């Protein structure tokens, strides 16, 4: 008994230490953000502490937040962004005062970048190097000789590397190559950097192992796919050959984020902003614009509509026999997706719920918990959708929600407090594994024939569902 007590005390102590470490890491992250604009020495300290404690979080902070300080195109867009201008007006600020603050932050960002270069830790030095080369290249845009030397140095560096995801090497190489466009003396080096990155991204296009669906695995896959789609999009802009252009754009479309990628959009979101200056996560329309053959265009749009239902109406408009389209589309949907894992669980009122008993209906399965803030935030909309299924506005949809990592009294109290009556079953702690749920809320849409598709987090899920089930 004494040994058991000691074990429990040690276990509780371990949990306490773990919780403290997490708090420290969040504090380092937030403190860096708070001090980087005006206190560069403090910011460097917090970055060093975070890098030692949680390297993955440090990488995210360094490349997706801090590196934005060096984006030169941001200010130009701000001058014409009406929503931004209206926002700063409400804050009694002018565009010039905002730019003054940004310029001060940019100066301090350079101080931080320089000081991190003096750090003895290889981890921070390696992450700093790629950003520093990009910043140095921007500083020397008007000096072709220096820019060429920087480009050749980065090319040599890339040639010695194999992992272009680490430190986001590909991102900065592509940004550097972009600076060399338009100058004949720099073209060769810029093209070599681009081709080396293209080749590396192409070699890293791998099928997702169904037995390895960790979030980190999905993030790396999504990043390589998006970056390869982007490089094909850029390659299409470079060539004058129509056949080559179409081939590149076809690949750009093919490797645009799929449903799995969209569940981890943060993996490539910032690369999108750095490389394109806007949120462009699909190159489908660029490819479609090259297709003159209506039959080929229909096949492409039909395929796109499986993962992005906003294309469904476009596919229908291209189909010659409109009356038969819905049957054809549903048949292709069922052929494309896997059978949903079956389940039979009790609802809160004790009524059995079995998946598959809902004839001729689509089923929305929603995983949530009373402890989940984003889940609670969307419940008013979920309640409205459920009411539409009951009042005849969405007659082809059935809704079932699954309370995860929760207890029945807490769920019942929550439903009563907010006067929700959408159906709820309690998880058996197995169903999440069957549906490979790793984050909450998670939504799946199941066809009348039992095939299911993931509804990506962050999309307008109500419209997504309505587009899928519309006829």
């Amino acid at each position: 008994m004494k040994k058991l007590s000691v074990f429990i005390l040690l276990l509780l102590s371990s949990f306490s230490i773990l919780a403290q470490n997490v708090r420290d890491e969040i504090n380092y992250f937030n403190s860096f953000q708070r001090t980087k604009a005006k206190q560069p020495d403090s910011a460097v300290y917090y970055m060093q502490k975070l890098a030692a404690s949680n390297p993955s979080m440090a990488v995210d902070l360094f490349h997706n937040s801090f590196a934005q300080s060096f984006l030169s195109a941001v200010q130009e867009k701000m001058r014409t962004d009406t929503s931004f201008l209206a926002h700063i007006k409400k804050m009694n600020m002018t565009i010039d005062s905002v730019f003054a603050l940004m310029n001060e932050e940019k100066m301090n960002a350079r101080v931080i970048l320089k000081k991190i270069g003096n750090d003895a830790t290889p981890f921070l030095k390696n992450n700093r190097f790629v950003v520093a080369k990009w910043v140095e290249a921007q500083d020397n845009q008007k000096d072709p000789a220096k820019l060429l030397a920087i480009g050749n140095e980065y090319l040599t560096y890339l040639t010695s590397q194999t992992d272009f995801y680490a430190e986001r090497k590909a991102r900065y190489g592509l940004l550097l190559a972009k600076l060399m466009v338009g100058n004949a003396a720099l073209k060769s080096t810029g093209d070599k950097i681009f081709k080396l990155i293209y080749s590396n991204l192409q070699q890293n296009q791998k099928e997702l192992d169904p037995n390895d669906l960790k979030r980190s695995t999905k993030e790396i896959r999504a990043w390589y796919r998006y970056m390869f789609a982007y490089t094909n999009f850029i390659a299409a802009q470079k060539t004058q050959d129509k056949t080559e252009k179409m081939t590149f754009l076809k690949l750009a479309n093919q490797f645009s984020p799929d449903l799995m990628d969209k569940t981890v959009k943060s993996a490539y979101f910032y690369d999108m902003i750095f490389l394109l200056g806007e949120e462009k996560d699909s190159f489908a329309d660029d490819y479609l614009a090259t297709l003159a053959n209506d039959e080929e265009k229909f096949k492409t749009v039909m395929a796109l509509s499986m993962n992005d239902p906003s294309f469904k109406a476009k596919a229908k408009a291209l189909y010659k026999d409109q009356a038969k389209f819905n049957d054809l589309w549903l048949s292709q949907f069922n052929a494309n997706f896997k059978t949903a894992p079956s389940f039979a669980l009790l609802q809160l009122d004790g009524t059995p719920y079995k998946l598959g008993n809902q004839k001729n209906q689509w089923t929305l399965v929603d995983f949530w918990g009373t402890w989940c803030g984003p889940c609670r935030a969307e419940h008013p909309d979920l309640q409205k959708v459920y009411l539409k299924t009951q009042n005849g506005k969405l007659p082809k949809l059935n809704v079932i929600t699954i309370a995860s990592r929760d207890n029945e009294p807490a769920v019942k109290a929550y439903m009563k407090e907010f006067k929700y009556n959408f159906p709820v079953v309690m998880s058996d702690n197995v169903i999440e594994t069957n549906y490979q749920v790793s984050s909450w809320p998670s939504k799946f849409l199941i066809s009348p024939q039992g095939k299911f598709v993931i509804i990506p987090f962050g999309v307008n899920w109500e419209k997504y569902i309505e587009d899928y089930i519309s006829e």
Side-chain angles (χ1 to χ4, degrees):
M1 188 69 183
K2 187 177 179 181
K3 287 183 179 180
L4 180 61
S5 298
V6 171
F7 173 75
I8 291 172
L9 285 172
L10 287 171
L11 189 63
L12 290 172
S13 175
S14 298
F15 282 140
S16 176
I17 292 169
L18 181 62
Q20 182 60 49
N21 287 343
V22 171
R23 286 195 294 271
D24 287 344
E25 290 161 5
I26 292 171
N27 179 52
Y28 299 148
F29 187 101
N30 291 335
S31 295
F32 176 87
Q33 297 285 52
R34 190 183 68 250
T35 58
K36 67 179 180 181
K38 295 181 178 293
Q39 299 168 273
D41 286 336
S42 296
V44 170
Y45 169 79
Y46 290 121
M47 178 61 79
Q48 289 170 329
K49 296 293 284 185
L50 183 61
S53 178
N54 189 328
S56 177
M57 189 182 286
V59 166
D60 182 64
L61 178 61
F62 194 83
H63 294 292
N64 295 339
S65 177
F66 172 64
Q68 288 190 53
S69 304
F70 306 107
L71 279 173
S72 56
V74 172
Q75 291 189 1
E76 298 167 21
K77 291 196 172 186
M78 284 180 171
R79 288 190 183 277
T80 57
D81 188 331
T82 53
S83 61
F84 174 74
L85 294 173
H87 176 69
I88 63 172
K89 187 176 181 180
K90 288 180 181 177
M91 298 173 65
N92 294 318
M93 297 181 74
T94 65
I95 192 72
D96 290 333
S97 64
V98 171
F99 286 172
L101 290 171
M102 289 178 67
N103 289 335
E104 181 183 5
E105 182 173 340
K106 194 169 187 176
M107 287 175 60
N108 282 320
R110 288 175 176 273
V111 174
I112 292 168
L113 194 64
K114 184 176 181 180
K115 286 180 178 291
I116 287 176
N118 298 326
D119 190 277
T121 312
F123 173 81
L124 279 177
K125 279 194 169 184
N126 291 340
N127 279 280
R128 175 198 176 272
F129 175 80
V130 289
V131 177
K133 288 295 114 183
W134 169 51
V135 172
E136 187 182 353
Q138 289 187 87
D139 292 343
N140 289 282
Q141 285 183 75
K142 295 182 180 179
D143 188 333
K146 286 187 178 179
L147 187 54
L148 180 61
I150 296 164
N152 282 325
E153 182 184 0
Y154 202 85
L155 178 61
T156 301
Y157 165 72
L158 280 183
T159 304
S160 68
Q161 303 292 313
T162 55
D163 183 356
F164 286 13
Y165 173 72
E167 297 98 34
R168 305 302 183 270
K169 297 180 186 76
R171 176 202 292 178
Y172 300 107
L174 291 169
L175 287 168
L176 210 158
K178 189 188 290 188
L179 294 173
M180 302 179 127
V181 171
N183 188 317
L186 305 173
K187 186 178 184 303
S188 176
T189 297
D191 285 348
K192 286 177 183 176
I193 292 172
F194 182 86
K195 288 175 181 176
L196 183 61
I197 293 171
Y198 184 97
S199 176
N200 181 275
L201 296 173
Q202 187 175 38
Q203 290 166 17
N204 280 281
Q205 301 308 314
K206 297 170 183 175
E207 289 298 321
L208 196 62
D209 181 353
N211 298 314
D212 183 13
L213 290 174
K214 297 191 297 289
R215 184 177 178 85
S216 58
T217 303
K218 291 191 286 186
E219 286 176 340
I220 293 171
R221 173 189 185 263
W223 185 84
Y224 272 109
R225 280 174 52 82
Y226 181 79
M227 295 295 281
F228 189 53
Y230 167 79
T231 51
N232 276 286
F233 173 70
I234 295 302
Q237 316 310 309
K238 290 183 174 186
T239 183
Q240 299 302 314
D241 185 287
K242 289 185 178 180
T243 303
E244 278 190 350
K245 185 182 289 290
M246 186 175 289
T247 300
F248 284 130
L249 287 175
K250 185 175 184 179
L251 285 168
N253 169 54
Q254 180 184 340
F255 288 93
S256 290
D258 60 14
L259 285 171
M260 184 67 76
D261 298 337
K262 288 176 182 178
T263 65
V264 287
K265 187 173 180 176
S266 59
Y268 56 86
F269 176 82
Y270 292 98
D271 297 276
M272 216 180 340
I273 302 303
F274 275 86
L275 295 168
L276 290 163
E278 62 180 345
E279 192 171 344
K280 181 182 175 69
D281 60 359
S282 173
F283 302 98
D285 287 332
D286 302 282
Y287 175 54
L288 289 173
T290 69
L291 299 177
N293 184 298
D294 283 347
E295 183 63 26
E296 185 65 27
K297 187 174 287 190
F298 168 72
K299 288 179 182 177
T300 302
V301 175
M302 192 71 163
L304 289 168
S305 71
M306 295 295 110
N307 291 325
D308 184 348
S310 66
F311 283 98
K312 186 177 178 182
K314 295 179 184 178
K316 186 173 184 178
L318 289 166
Y319 195 56
K320 294 174 183 178
D321 194 342
Q322 299 273 303
K324 294 182 179 179
F325 174 79
N326 291 323
D327 289 339
L328 174 68
W329 188 89
L330 184 57
S331 173
Q332 188 161 325
F333 178 95
N334 289 323
N336 264 41
F337 295 104
K338 294 180 180 179
T339 300
S342 61
F343 62 89
L345 298 168
L346 289 178
Q347 299 184 64
L348 293 181
D349 62 2
T351 306
Y353 181 95
K354 184 177 181 181
L355 183 67
N357 285 352
Q358 303 72 39
K359 301 301 181 184
N360 301 316
Q361 281 188 309
W362 291 77
T363 299
L364 169 64
V365 179
D366 179 83
F367 290 84
W368 65 284
T370 58
W371 47 267
C372 166
C375 303
R376 294 167 71 108
E378 68 177 26
H379 278 170
D381 291 328
L382 183 61
Q383 175 69 16
K384 290 175 185 175
V385 168
Y386 172 66
L387 291 177
K388 285 182 182 179
T389 69
Q390 299 302 293
N391 64 20
K393 291 183 178 178
L394 284 175
K396 294 191 175 181
L397 183 67
N398 164 66
V399 173
I400 188 65
T401 73
I402 299 170
S404 302
R405 300 181 179 179
D406 230 316
N407 63 80
E408 193 168 322
V411 174
K412 284 182 174 179
Y414 172 78
M415 297 294 286
K416 183 178 179 180
E417 178 184 356
F418 292 99
K419 298 181 173 61
Y420 296 140
N421 66 338
F422 51 78
V424 183
V425 296
M426 296 303 299
S427 169
D428 59 1
N429 299 319
V430 174
I431 189 170
E432 289 85 359
T433 301
N434 293 341
Y435 276 83
Q436 297 173 343
V437 174
S438 59
S439 59
W440 285 260
S442 281
K443 291 180 176 59
F444 302 86
L445 186 64
I446 304 173
S447 75
Q449 291 72 32
K451 300 304 179 74
F452 78 117
V453 64
I454 302 168
I455 305 297
F457 181 75
V459 301
N460 182 342
W461 60 270
E462 298 163 79
K463 186 176 186 306
Y464 222 76
I465 290 167
E466 289 184 14
D467 284 344
Y468 263 126
I469 69 177
S470 67
E471 292 188 352

